[in-house]
Amino acid sequence: MRRMPDQSLRIDHARYVVTVDAQRRIIADGSVLVENGRISRVGKASELGGARADRVIDARHFVVTPGFVNGHMHISYAHAVRGIFPDDVGSPLDSVFKLQMAMTEEEEYLTSLLGIVELVKNGTVCFVDPGSTKFPDACLQAYADAGIRVIMGDCVTDREAPFPLPRYPAAEAIGRTATFLDKWHGRLDGRLRAWAMPFSADTCTADLLRALKRLADERRTSLTLHHNSGDKARQEYQAKHGRRPTEYLESLGVVGPNVVLAHVLGIDDAEIDCMARTGTTAAMCPVTAAKGGRGVRENGRLPELLAKGVKVALGCDSPNNSNHLDIVRALNMAAIQYKDARQDMRQIPAETALELATLTGAQALGVGDEIGSLEPGKKADLVLFDTERPEWQALFNPVNNLVYNADGRSVHTVIIDGRVIVDGYRQTFVDESRLYGRVQEVGERLLARTGVSFSRSRWPIV
Ligand SMILES: [Zn+2]
């Protein structure tokens, strides 16, 4: 299905428009005018009242925010088998990659479609799939139908890994990445971006990492990889490379404003300085960190990263890690987990959390000039929250209510590139109930085929 943007759209008399503009204005009784896929005016409803529009959305019960970005969101296999890992499984990665590698083209299309439905219905307009999609040709239709912005890549490694990852000789990995970037970058009217995606520094040789960064630079695109540190990793890297993990990347030149390090748990002050000095950005997954018992008190450095000016996006990681795809819940976690970990309520205020999912996150992903705030000239990516719900009462401070009371369930309308993608809680690009049934079948088949098996429940299912 191809949808043309409404020629013009006026969001009228919003209870609040949270602009995240340079002054961080929150406009009470505000309106937003969208023309040809871009925001043309933002202001008081009284100022925009006369502006002509093909469609007018009565927003008097809505809080309007920029569309959300999700900086690390594996959407391939996991919806089909979500929730299978018991809490005491330890690392599920061996099973994760076994399941992922076993997906057929049609299965991946269906699970990706479901992932996208969940993402957009919770307000995400742009996400990074860190190389988990095996069949981008098949999934392209899902991205096109949903109208969402997708950043994708071909996950490559050229070293032995503790779990089954796509591994190629370095030259082949470089060739695949070059082909991928040339084929995909800029498609879907620019909504699709392709990045270089080595899995991690541990699973790739120095030569491969250097070559992929060079490719990203030459093609004017970005690179992301999984990256953590911590005492043990620092000792190992010191012994092997004479440097900390993040400094090792710097020594290879795999840093800079077009490098997004995912997770970044356990990094120390010198590593944060390295990121700040080089403009390297991060995508952190607060719910994954909490659910995985990753020790935010010791290993979470989000406040220090932000204090040094490092741009950070939030991610939901995977439907078997966080396990939801609701960025509003992720920003809630980012706001509350540091307060607890540091026993200091001043850590990560609600406004900072909201910035991570909007402007700061967009900047971290290199799309801050286009999206992330509601300002004239930016792409028209907006979320309209329905405040006619109990969790939004009473409404005095829309940012506090959004971050601490609400979640993605109050997302009423989502607009991407000026197109209304979710309209009155409903998307129109797929029959959801039929899709749920098919994804359940995919899950049953996939478990049977791979032999991955866990007890379905600790409690008896009778
Ligand atoms: Zn990941």
Side-chain angles (χ1 to χ4, degrees):
M1 185 190 350
R2 225 182 132 68
R3 242 170 318 190
M4 296 305 291
D6 284 307
Q7 290 295 308
S8 58
L9 180 65
R10 196 173 78 233
I11 295 148
D12 211 31
H13 286 287
R15 190 147 172 200
Y16 294 104
V17 177
V18 182
T19 63
V20 198
D21 66 6
Q23 295 84 41
R24 299 296 189 266
R25 287 180 307 151
I26 297 172
I27 304 170
D29 192 19
S31 290
V32 180
L33 186 66
V34 171
E35 293 177 298
N36 299 316
R38 288 186 186 269
I39 294 167
S40 56
R41 295 176 67 187
V42 182
K44 283 283 190 188
S46 54
E47 296 162 15
L48 271 70
R52 198 204 68 81
D54 298 320
R55 179 176 173 188
V56 176
I57 296 179
D58 175 1
R60 68 192 69 228
H61 295 306
F62 295 155
V63 166
V64 181
T65 70
F68 299 127
V69 300
N70 198 320
H72 194 82
M73 186 65 254
H74 297 273
I75 63 162
S76 168
Y77 84 100
H79 271 86
V81 292
R82 176 152 59 176
I84 59 165
F85 300 124
D87 287 339
D88 58 359
V89 72
S91 172
L93 286 182
D94 197 48
S95 299
V96 165
F97 290 104
K98 198 188 276 183
L99 290 160
Q100 192 168 306
M101 299 288 263
M103 296 289 282
T104 68
E105 196 166 315
E106 193 199 5
E107 288 170 345
E108 190 172 69
Y109 166 76
L110 292 169
T111 54
S112 296
L113 194 53
L114 183 50
I116 290 167
V117 168
E118 191 173 344
L119 284 167
V120 291
K121 289 184 90 171
N122 286 297
T124 289
V125 300
C126 175
F127 71 97
V128 178
D129 174 24
S132 37
T133 298
K134 284 187 347 180
F135 303 104
D137 288 284
C139 295
L140 181 68
Q141 194 58 47
Y143 309 145
D145 288 348
I148 196 168
R149 300 181 193 281
V150 190
I151 296 169
M152 57 198 268
D154 192 17
C155 175
V156 294
T157 69
D158 67 340
R159 289 178 57 193
E160 198 75 54
F163 30 81
L165 281 166
R167 180 152 57 101
Y168 315 96
E172 191 182 336
I174 296 161
R176 286 181 68 98
T177 300
T179 305
F180 194 96
L181 298 181
D182 292 342
K183 179 173 176 183
W184 294 107
H185 194 53
R187 290 185 65 176
L188 299 180
D189 301 327
R191 289 196 312 278
L192 201 161
R193 288 173 187 238
W195 289 5
M197 296 192 174
F199 185 80
S200 65
D202 290 333
T203 55
C204 297
T205 59
D207 285 345
L208 177 57
L209 292 168
R210 271 196 215 98
L212 295 181
K213 174 60 162 60
R214 233 183 349 257
L215 270 182
D217 291 343
E218 283 166 12
R219 304 296 202 279
R220 293 174 177 276
T221 187
S222 298
L223 176 151
T224 190
L225 77 168
H226 295 80
H227 184 73
N228 287 312
S229 187
D231 285 343
K232 187 162 167 279
R234 267 190 293 277
Q235 280 165 21
E236 286 167 11
Y237 272 73
Q238 283 289 357
K240 210 167 155 197
H241 305 289
R243 307 179 154 83
R244 296 168 170 84
T246 311
E247 293 169 342
Y248 169 67
L249 289 177
E250 185 180 21
S251 76
L252 304 180
V254 185
V255 286
N258 66 341
V259 174
V260 182
L261 304 181
H263 298 290
V264 294
L265 293 170
I267 52 172
D268 70 5
D269 289 342
E271 293 176 285
I272 292 171
D273 285 341
C274 169
M275 290 181 70
R277 185 170 66 241
T278 57
T280 306
T281 73
M284 299 185 78
C285 304
V287 184
T288 297
K291 178 167 177 269
R294 300 300 299 273
V296 169
R297 192 168 89 87
E298 282 175 16
N299 296 317
R301 304 302 306 279
L302 178 58
E304 289 73 24
L305 284 160
L306 295 174
K308 293 275 181 174
V310 175
K311 303 296 183 194
V312 180
L314 297 180
C316 291
D317 203 10
S318 152
N320 261 326
N321 283 16
S322 62
N323 305 357
H324 58 72
L325 279 65
D326 180 351
I327 199 73
V328 185
R329 286 176 68 187
L331 62 91
N332 171 267
M333 180 61 83
I336 64 176
Q337 69 182 180
Y338 285 91
K339 293 175 172 61
D340 177 51
R342 310 277 174 97
Q343 297 183 50
D344 178 359
M345 281 189 69
R346 294 166 302 178
Q347 299 292 338
I348 314 294
E351 294 82 1
T352 303
L354 183 54
E355 286 170 347
L356 298 176
T358 56
L359 186 60
T360 308
Q363 289 167 338
L365 306 184
V367 293
D369 292 340
E370 294 211 317
I371 61 173
S373 61
L374 303 181
E375 296 175 87
K378 283 213 165 172
K379 301 267 192 184
D381 288 16
L382 304 94
V383 179
L384 278 55
F385 284 91
D386 181 1
T387 65
E388 289 281 280
R389 296 171 59 99
E391 72 267 27
W392 275 91
Q393 312 310 320
L395 179 49
F396 295 100
N397 179 335
V399 177
N400 273 355
N401 277 24
L402 173 60
V403 173
Y404 296 123
N405 316 4
D407 55 39
R409 283 175 298 180
S410 55
V411 170
H412 180 281
T413 294
V414 179
I415 297 162
I416 307 176
D417 245 359
R419 297 177 180 88
V420 179
I421 303 295
V422 178
D423 197 349
Y425 293 102
R426 304 175 80 86
Q427 53 73 27
T428 52
F429 53 89
V430 60
D431 175 345
E432 273 179 54
S433 150
R434 187 154 174 269
L435 179 64
Y436 300 157
R438 295 185 75 188
V439 170
Q440 179 75 30
E441 285 165 19
V442 169
E444 309 275 354
R445 280 204 307 264
L446 194 58
L447 292 173
R449 206 161 69 228
T450 55
V452 171
S453 158
F454 293 94
S455 165
R456 292 231 167 167
S457 167
R458 238 184 264 276
W459 290 352
I461 297 179
V462 298

